[in-house]
C-alpha cells in the first residue's frame, strides 16, 4: 500500500556511485607538480547527466525491491495483527525509509546538472515520495516505523465498553448509523473517541521525528513536504484548496441549515438547538463526514423515495463477494480487464472472525505490478457497495501504470488516486444502472431527483469541509503552531469553523479526538480526499460530455461506455510521469481543478434547498 510509507536510503548505493564516478580506467599520466604546495582538495568533478540518470535508475531498483518486501510485511500485519507481524512490518518499513532518505539526500548532488525531464522528475520525486521521512541517523527510521505501526494497531484494535457490552468500530458505527436515541449515539461516539487517548504522546513523538526527517530533506516541516507534492509551490497549493472550498461553501451552508432544522424538529431544542453548530453524534457517522445514514431524518415529507439502497442489496441476498464482482463488472463494462485470479485468492473481503485486522478499507498492489488486492471488512450495505467501487478504482489505476518506472507508479497526484473509483461510483449508484443490473425493478420518475440528490449531497457535500479540515489541523501540528496541550481544542475549533459541528458534551482534557480518525494514527494525508471530491465531478462531467449525454449530470451513467474507458485508461497509464494538469487535460480537456462541476451536479438540489431555507437563519458562529 504504497501511499502509507515510501521511505529509506542506501549506503551501498552511495558507495557504488562514488566508486563509479571516481574510477578512471587505465594508467593515469602523471600531472606536472605545482610549484607552490596547494592544500585545498580538488573540487569534485561535476556529475554528468548520464550519472544522474544511472543514479535514478539504480534508486528505482533498490526501492522497488524494498517496497515489495515492505508491502508483504504490511499486508501480513494489516490482516493479522500480532506482535510478530508488527515486528516484521517495523523492520521492513524502516529499511525502506532509511534507503529512501539516503537516496533523496544523495540526489542533491545532481541539483545543478542539466538532465532530461524524466530524470529530473524522478530525482524530485525521490525527495517527495515519503509521507514520514526519518532523520538520516542510525536507528531513526526504526523508531519512527515502530511508532507508526503501534499507532495503527492501537486504532485498528480499539474497543470500548458500554452497558456491559464491548464495541469495536464497526459495531459502534452500525449503532450510530441506525439509532435515533441521542443518549445512545452519544455513548457510541464518546466511547470511540476514548480509544484514541493513549495515542496522544506517541503522536507527538511521531510529529517531532518526521519533522526532523523532513527538515533534513530541506522542507520547513512535514506539512510543507506534504503540500509540495502537487507540481506547484506549497503555499500556492494551500491557497488552491481554499479557493475550491470557497466555491462550495455557500452550498454547504444551505445543506447544513436544512439538516440542522430537521434535526431540531426531530430531537428538540435540548438536543439540537435551532441555531449554532450541529451535534456531531446525530449525523449517523463517527466523524460526521458522511451524513447519508440519517436520510430518514432529513427526508422531504412531500417527495417520497421509492427505494432504499441498503434494502435492495439485502432483499436480493447479495453476498460480499458478489458485491465485489458487481464492482469489477462495472470496470470491465468500460473495456478494462477482469481482475487477476490472485485478486480473488489473496484479497480480504470480509472480516476474519479469529483475529485482529485493520478493517479500514484499502487497495494494494503488493508486487508493484499485478498482485492486486483489496482489504475490507465488507458489510452488505450501500456504503460498502460504494467503497468497493472506490477501492477497485485504486487497483485499476495501479494496474494501468504497472509498466511505468518505479518512481512514476503513482497517481497524477494523490487526489487523482482517490477520485477514480469515486468517479466510477457516481454512475454505479444511479437508479438507471441499478435497474440495468437487476437491483432495482423500476427506474423512479424524475420527481425523485430531489431525494436522490439529497442522499448524494449528504454523502458528498457533507464530506468536503471534513476533507479539508483534517490536514488543516495536521499542518498546524507539524508546523508547531499548536502543541500537544492544544491539539484537541484546535481540532474542535477547526471542526466548528469548517463543518459547523460541536461535540455532544465537553471533551475531557486528556482527549485526542483526531486519533479516532484512521488517517491520523495511520498518517495518511487527507487533503487527497478533498481534491477527489472535486475531481470526481470534473471527471464525471467530462465523461458524460464524451458520451454525448444531454440530460442532468446526476442522471448520467457511463456504464458500458467503452470510449470513456479507453480515454480513462490512457490517463491512468500515465501514472505520475507528468505533472497532474497534463493528466487532467488528457481526460477532461482542462488543466484546472474547478468545483463548478460539483455545483452543476447538485444545481437542482441547491435551488430546492434555498426554497426550503427561506425565512431560516442559517450559518453558525465560527
Ligand atoms: O479512506 C478512505 C478509503 C480508502 S483510501 C476507504 N476514504 C476516506 C475515509 O474513509 O475517510 C474514502 C472516503 C474518505
Ligand atoms: Zn482510497
Amino acid at each position: 500500500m504504497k501511499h502509507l510509507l515510501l521511505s529509506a536510503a542506501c549506503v551501498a548505493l552511495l558507495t557504488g556511485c562514488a566508486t563509479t564516478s571516481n574510477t578512471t580506467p587505465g594508467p593515469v599520466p602523471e600531472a606536472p607538480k605545482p610549484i607552490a604546495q596547494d592544500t585545498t582538495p580538488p573540487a569534485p568533478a561535476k556529475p554528468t547527466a548520464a550519472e544522474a540518470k544511472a543514479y535514478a535508475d539504480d534508486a528505482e531498483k533498490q526501492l522497488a525491491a524494498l517496497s515489495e518486501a515492505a508491502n508483504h510485511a504490511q499486508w501480513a500485519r494489516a490482516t493479522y495483527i500480532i506482535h510478530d507481524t508488527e515486528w516484521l512490518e517495523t523492520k521492513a518499513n524502516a529499511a525502506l525509509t532509511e534507503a529512501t532518505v539516503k537516496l533523496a539526500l544523495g540526489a542533491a548532488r545532481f541539483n545543478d546538472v542539466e538532465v532530461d525531464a524524466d530524470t529530473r522528475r524522478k530525482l524530485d520525486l525521490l525527495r517527495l515520495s515519503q509521507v514520514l521521512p526519518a532523520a538520516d541517523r542510525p536507528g531513526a527510521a526504526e523508531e519512527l516505523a515502530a511508532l507508526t505501526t503501534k499507532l495503527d494497531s492501537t486504532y485498528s484494535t480499539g474497543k470500548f465498553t458500554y452497558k456491559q457490552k464491548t464495541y469495536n468500530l464497526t459495531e459502534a458505527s452500525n449503532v450510530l448509523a441506525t439509532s435515533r436515541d441521542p443518549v445512545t449515539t452519544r455513548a457510541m461516539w464518546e466511547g470511540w473517541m476514548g480509544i484514541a487517548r493513549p495515542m496522544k504522546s506517541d503522536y507527538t513523538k511521531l510529529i517531532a521525528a518526521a519533522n526532523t526527517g523532513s527538515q533534513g530533506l530541506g522542507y520547513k516541516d512535514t506539512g510543507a513536504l506534504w503540500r509540495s507534492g502537487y507540481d506547484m509551490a506549497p503555499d500556492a497549493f494551500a491557497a488552491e484548496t481554499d479557493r475550491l472550498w470557497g466555491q462550495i461553501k455557500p452550498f454547504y451552508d444551505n445543506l447544513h441549515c436544512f439538516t440542522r432544522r430537521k434535526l431540531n424538529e426531530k430531537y428538540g431544542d435540548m438536543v439540537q438547538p435551532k441555531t449554532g453548530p450541529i451535534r456531531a453524534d446525530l449525523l449517523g457517522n463517527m466523524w460526521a463526514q458522511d451524513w447519508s445514514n440519517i436520510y430518514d431524518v432529513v427526508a422531504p415529507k412531500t417527495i417520497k423515495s421509492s427505494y432504499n439502497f441498503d434494502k435492495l442489496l439485502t432483499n436480493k441476498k447479495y453476498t460480499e463477494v458478489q458485491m465485489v464482482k458487481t464492482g469489477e463488472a462495472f470496470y470491465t463494462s468500460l473495456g478494462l480487464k477482469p481482475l487477476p485470479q490472485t485478486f480473488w485468492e489473496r484479497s480480504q473481503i470480509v472480516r476474519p472472525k479469529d483475529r485482529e485486522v485493520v478493517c479500514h478499507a484499502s487497495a494494494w498492489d503488493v508486487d508493484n505490478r499485478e498482485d492486486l488486492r483489496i482489504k475490507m471488512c465488507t458489510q452488505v450495505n450501500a456504503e460498502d457497495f460504494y467503497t468497493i467501487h472506490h477501492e477497485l478504482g485504486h487497483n485499476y489505476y495501479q494496474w494501468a501504470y504497472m509498466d511505468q518506472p518505479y518512481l512514476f507508479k503513482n497517481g497524477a497526484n494523490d487526489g487523482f488516486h482517490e477520485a477514480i473509483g469515486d468517479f466510477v461510483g457516481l454512475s454505479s449508484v444511479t437508479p438507471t444502472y441499478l435497474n440495468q443490473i437487476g437491483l432495482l425493478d423500476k427506474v423512479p420518475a424524475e420527481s425523485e431527483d430531489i431525494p436522490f440528490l439529497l442522499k448524494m449531497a449528504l454523502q458528498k457535500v457533507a464530506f468536503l469541509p471534513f476533507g479539508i479540515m483534517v490536514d488543516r489541523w495536521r499542518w498546524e501540528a507539524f508546523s508547531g503552531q499548536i502543541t500537544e496541550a492544544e491539539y484537541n481544542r484546535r481540532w474542535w475549533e477547526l471542526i466548528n469553523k469548517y463543518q459547523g459541528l460541536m461535540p455532544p458534551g465537553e471533551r475531557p482534557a486528556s482527549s485526542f479526538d483526531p486519533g479516532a480518525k484512521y488517517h491520523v494514527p495511520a498518517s495518511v494525508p487527507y487533503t487527497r480526499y478533498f481534491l477527489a471530491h472535486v475531481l470526481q465531478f470534473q471527471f464525471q462531467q467530462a465523461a458524460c460530455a464524451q458520451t454525448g449525454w444531454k440530460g442532468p449530470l446526476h442522471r448520467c451513467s457511463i456504464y458500458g461506455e467503452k470510449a470513456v474507458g479507453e480515454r480513462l485508461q490512457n490517463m491512468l497509464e500515465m501514472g505520475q510521469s507528468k505533472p497532474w494538469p497534463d493528466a487532467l487535460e488528457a481526460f477532461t480537456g482542462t488543466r484546472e481543478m474547478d468545483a463548478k462541476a460539483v455545483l452543476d451536479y447538485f444545481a437542482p438540489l441547491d435551488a430546492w434547498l434555498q426554497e426550503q431555507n427561506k425565512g431560516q437563519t442559517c450559518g453558525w458562529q465560527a
Side-chain angles (χ1 to χ4, degrees), residues 1 3 287 289 360-363 376 383 387 390-391 394 417-418 422 460 463 466 517-519 524 526 528-530 533:
M1 220 180 50
H3 68 273
W287 311 277
Q289 68 181 65
H360 190 85
S362 52
M376 287 184 62
E383 191 176 329
T387 301
H390 174 95
E391 297 308 335
H394 287 306
H417 226 304
E418 298 303 336
D422 273 11
K460 298 286 178 187
F463 178 82
F466 182 74
K517 174 66 197 166
Y518 177 70
H519 303 68
V524 180
Y526 212 79
R528 58 181 64 184
Y529 302 106
F530 174 78
H533 277 67

Side-chain angles (χ1 to χ4, degrees), residues 200-279:
K200 200 174 193 169
S201 69
D202 278 345
Y203 194 75
T204 307
K205 286 184 202 148
L206 176 139
I207 296 260
N211 275 343
T212 312
S214 303
Q215 284 151 9
L217 292 175
Y219 299 97
K220 231 170 36 198
D221 60 69
T222 308
L225 162 65
W226 289 11
R227 292 189 296 279
S228 299
Y230 298 92
D231 301 299
M232 59 171 95
D235 289 353
F237 175 69
E240 182 67 351
T241 55
D242 279 339
R243 180 183 70 78
L244 295 168
W245 171 235
Q247 286 184 281
I248 298 151
K249 162 108 173 116
F251 176 37
Y252 177 73
D253 288 352
N254 292 336
L255 182 68
H256 179 280
C257 191
F258 181 71
T259 305
R260 182 178 61 192
R261 175 154 63 92
K262 291 291 183 169
L263 288 168
N264 171 261
E265 282 167 14
K266 170 146 188 91
Y267 292 110
D269 293 346
M270 296 300 288
V271 173
Q272 177 57 62
K274 283 193 181 65
T275 58
I278 296 176
R279 215 180 101 164

Side-chain angles (χ1 to χ4, degrees), residues 298-333:
V298 300
K301 291 205 178 66
T302 48
I303 329 168
K304 284 268 166 294
S305 175
S306 59
Y307 71 95
N308 168 320
F309 199 162
D310 291 329
K311 294 220 175 84
L312 295 184
L313 290 163
T314 44
N315 287 349
K316 296 269 175 195
K317 302 208 172 11
Y318 259 61
T319 64
E320 297 82 357
V321 172
Q322 203 181 345
M323 283 164 65
V324 183
K325 292 266 181 203
T326 307
E328 179 194 34
F330 199 110
Y331 287 85
T332 55
S333 89

Side-chain angles (χ1 to χ4, degrees), residues 536-565:
Q536 63 188 266
F537 289 97
Q538 285 188 259
F539 294 154
Q540 178 72 349
Q541 196 158 46
C544 294
Q546 284 162 30
T547 69
W549 175 257
K550 295 278 180 290
L553 192 51
H554 63 272
R555 257 188 258 145
C556 166
S557 159
I558 58 158
Y559 183 60
E561 296 287 352
K562 302 249 175 339
V564 170

